[in-house]
Amino acid sequence: MDRLRAIVLGAAAGGGYPQWNCRCPVCQLAWDKDGRVRPRTQASLAVSVDGARWVLLNASPDLRAQLAATAALQPKSGVRGSPIAAVVLTGAEIDQIAGLLHLRERQAFAIHATREALDIVAANAIFDALAPDVVERRAVTLGEPFTVAGIGVELFAAPGKVPLYLERGDAQSDESTVNAGAELSAGGRRLVFVPGAASLTPALMARLERADIVFFDGTLFTDDEMIRTGSGAKTGRRMGHMPIDGDGGSLSALAGLPGRRIYIHINNTNPILVDGSPERRRVEAAGIEVGEDGMEIEL
């Protein structure tokens, strides 16, 4: 029976951890080489059922380093080649699409995303470096399953917003085709990947409840975290990310799920990155794991 295997290529939010220009309390621990923290690259998963063909969930700006650190994704034979069969995009944020440019050396693979996300990619000519006669762009309709590399995949709407660089005026945090989650299935097992969610709707909760493993938005511990640390002027919800703690936070909701739960897309300011911190202990007491680069899971 085919079994889903997932590798966490990166577990951090945009900018990675530590962020290159940040001296917030959590980043300072990393710059000081404190043993309680470990660096993380920007969020992405690699998933396979046969160990030979791999599907990437998003292509972060750190993809080149992630490939160098992951033996399963490195060339196996011949002068040119790659085990990467496809990239599935859950949106068009910089930390979801910039890594596509690392895959520009005329290597065949397919990009699966919503039409709106593909249109955003197509609007920037730099992505023409991915030769259209080699790299196929396949538009996906939300809620309609498809199969890639032997894995069942379904993109679904998740509460969120347009990419930051496309914001005009007030950002909306509603379900749309800009921000999506991905559900992958094989051998009767389900993996759900939601790196960005502004809220947990009943439909999203129902999907998480039937999953064997959930990778969920762990961007900020508290909604005002970036404001309090002096590292930003926006709340988490304003950025399209619900907080872990507080009223309407994800911690209490995820604590009741039956499957394995892992926070991913963790911002550099988030104290759950610190082993033994009160925030980390609260998350672990709820049975939820904190994602790390290199984690491997088999379902």
Side-chain angles (χ1 to χ4, degrees):
M1 178 182 293
D2 291 334
R3 298 177 67 90
L4 275 174
R5 177 185 173 196
I7 301 174
V8 177
L9 301 181
Y17 175 71
Q19 185 171 296
W20 68 279
N21 64 342
C22 187
R23 285 176 57 88
C24 73
V26 182
C27 279
Q28 189 57 48
L29 293 176
W31 298 130
D32 291 342
K33 310 300 183 187
D34 192 296
R36 293 172 295 169
V37 298
R38 286 167 294 284
R40 288 163 168 82
T41 58
Q42 294 166 88
S44 176
L45 294 187
V47 185
S48 178
V49 292
D50 58 15
R53 298 172 299 162
W54 289 83
V55 176
L56 304 186
L57 299 182
N58 293 334
S60 91
D62 297 316
L63 182 57
R64 176 65 180 82
Q66 293 167 345
L67 298 183
T70 309
L73 300 180
Q74 296 165 9
K76 304 303 178 189
S77 61
V79 176
R80 289 290 181 94
S82 171
I84 298 172
V87 178
V88 175
L89 302 177
T90 62
E93 291 281 5
I94 291 172
D95 59 344
Q96 296 169 330
I97 64 173
L100 291 172
L101 296 176
H102 291 299
L103 306 177
R104 66 188 182 276
E105 284 82 12
R106 294 193 65 81
Q107 176 65 42
F109 66 96
I111 301 171
H112 300 262
T114 65
R115 170 53 60 193
E116 189 166 1
L118 288 178
D119 286 346
I120 292 171
V121 171
N124 191 326
I126 195 170
F127 290 103
D128 291 345
L130 296 164
D133 61 324
V134 177
V135 178
E136 185 177 358
R137 302 181 187 184
R138 301 179 181 175
V140 174
T141 300
L142 294 180
E144 292 188 6
F146 59 99
T147 301
V148 57
I151 302 170
V153 183
E154 181 184 341
L155 292 182
F156 56 88
K161 65 174 186 62
V162 299
L164 178 63
Y165 60 93
L166 293 178
E167 283 188 7
R168 302 292 185 270
D170 292 334
Q172 298 298 314
S173 293
D174 301 317
E175 290 187 355
S176 73
T177 57
V178 179
N179 189 66
E183 181 173 318
L184 283 68
S185 60
R189 309 284 279 178
R190 297 175 183 268
L191 178 155
V192 173
F193 175 69
V194 188
S199 63
L200 268 168
T201 63
L204 180 53
M205 276 301 299
R207 192 177 291 271
L208 302 185
E209 286 169 354
R210 62 176 181 259
D212 297 286
I213 184 166
V214 171
F215 289 92
F216 194 79
D217 184 352
T219 306
L220 300 178
F221 191 76
T222 57
D223 194 41
D224 64 347
E225 182 177 301
M226 294 187 68
I227 297 172
R228 286 188 298 101
T229 59
S231 57
K234 298 177 182 178
T235 65
R237 287 189 171 90
R238 170 60 181 81
M239 296 186 293
H241 299 282
M242 65 186 300
I244 292 173
D245 195 28
D247 186 31
S250 64
L251 182 61
S252 58
L254 297 185
L257 295 179
R260 188 173 176 183
R261 296 137 296 161
I262 300 174
Y263 278 124
I264 200 166
H265 195 272
I266 306 164
N267 199 57
N268 58 285
T269 57
N270 194 328
I272 69 170
L273 291 169
V274 184
D275 290 348
S277 68
E279 296 84 359
R280 178 70 165 264
R281 291 198 299 268
R282 284 191 57 197
V283 165
E284 293 174 340
I288 304 172
E289 301 170 64
V290 176
E292 291 186 20
D293 293 22
M295 290 178 73
E296 296 195 29
I297 296 102
E298 185 172 292
L299 297 178

